[in-house]
Amino acid sequence: MNTTTLSRWRNLGIIAHIDAGKTTLTERLLYASGAIHRVGEVHDGAATTDFSEIERKRGITIGAAAVRIDWTPPGEAPHRLSLIDTPGHIDFAIEVERSLRVLDGAVAVFSAVDGVQPQSETVWRQAQRHGVPRIAFVNKMDRAGADFDRTLAQLREKLDANPWPLGIPLGSEAAFDGWVDLVDRSVLRWTDDGDTVRHPWGDDEATRYADARARLIEAVAGHDESLADAWLAERAIDDAMLRAAIRRGTLAGLGVPVLAGSAIRNKGIVTLLDAIVHYLPSPLDRPATSAVRDGIETRLPADPAGPLAALVFKIAHHAHGPVTYVRVYSGTLRVGATVWCSRQDRARRIGRLAIVQAARTHDVDEAVAGEIVAILGWKDAVSGETLSADDMRLVLDSIQAQPAVLSWR
Ligand code: GDP
């Protein structure tokens, strides 16, 4: 394990108002990445991330589960994405807080028809408070009344965000079928069976879209010195330079890259996967975690060789038994090791560790800093507790729901 590998990990959540399309989008991301081979019908409760019986019945995702997928953007190294399912329902405020605590970045899904709705506003602000960098996906572009520009305006007005549209949607409503990529200067067309046809801009397109690209560059350069220098010196801004500046700005919370698509019609899904890799942080990009030992605060960077510190953020009940979801912040969690549990104040042995990939789990021997993993077989685990070495006894900073901010009409 080395830092090059860690830099290719993304732990992310998908946050949205109920009905914006989070479940559909999650499933399409799994499908596009090859993690599942068939897309189920979301409305009958068969979606892959809806694990528990109660979730199936209620048709909403009430708990956060983590699903791992692999993704390789064109011409790049393979990346590993953990999708952490963030509950959208307000009754589960503490779970929302907990899942925001363990993810490094988020995709905020908005409906192009309904725009910024109250719950997305709430979760957006929670994510902001946790310093979680975000990209926005404007979904349902195929629906009557879809309006990309209006959604951008609402991002500005309702969320005080600084949206950076990374492209221009082509075709509207039922005829929505493409995207002008302003970063890499290509045009994408989506066929009805979900394929993407992409071609680089010709002279004609370079002329037609030059102004839109210039506006994006200007917006980003307003927050990025090296891009501003190149822009002011009238140097050509290549794709890599622009992408790097957008990444810096996104990680610093200065702007929000915005994409558009239609989850149900498989449009914009691959573009979103690429954007997750390009603009959301790896565990190494995040600030060191603070932990307390004997009343003294220490900072723990994401180092597999550091002292073990892991947080239990979700207990799920699968058909095959309880699953304890954990994020490792520092050190390495190993099968066979005995760890101290901060809340239960006792030592426990790690019997089995597993990675959840869509509907399957597979056993692993260890999980390193930055990784999300499931402990299998722990009967009475407690959410929110820290796991550390018995002779270290660390406590990661506690998570508190903030009711004043969480209430909405
Ligand atoms: P969630 O509550 O955010 O998880 O939303 P769902 O994924 O369950 O989607 C809510 C409804 O919107 C379902 O009926 C979906 O079929 C539908 N839906 C999701 N994405 C799209 C889309 O891109 N276009 C259209 N027209 N409908 C969509």
Side-chain angles (χ1 to χ4, degrees), residues 16-25 42-43 59-61 139-143 261-265:
H17 186 93
I18 276 177
D19 230 35
K22 184 175 81 174
T23 314
T24 312
L25 180 65
V42 168
H43 50 79
I60 55 165
T61 310
N139 190 33
K140 303 198 182 183
M141 286 294 294
D142 60 296
R143 270 191 53 193
S262 161
I264 203 95
R265 290 171 162 230

Side-chain angles (χ1 to χ4, degrees), residues 3-11 79 103-105 130-133 244 247-248 250-253 276-289 300-303 327 369-370:
T3 48
T4 326
T5 321
L6 257 184
S7 72
R8 288 195 234 121
W9 294 4
R10 302 289 178 269
N11 295 317
H79 283 68
L103 48 83
D104 297 319
H130 283 269
V132 173
R247 178 175 179 82
R248 285 191 294 270
T250 308
L251 298 193
I276 288 169
V277 165
H278 290 148
Y279 307 118
L280 288 183
S282 83
L284 294 175
D285 295 313
R286 300 288 290 154
T289 303
L300 300 170
D303 178 4
R327 168 158 180 160

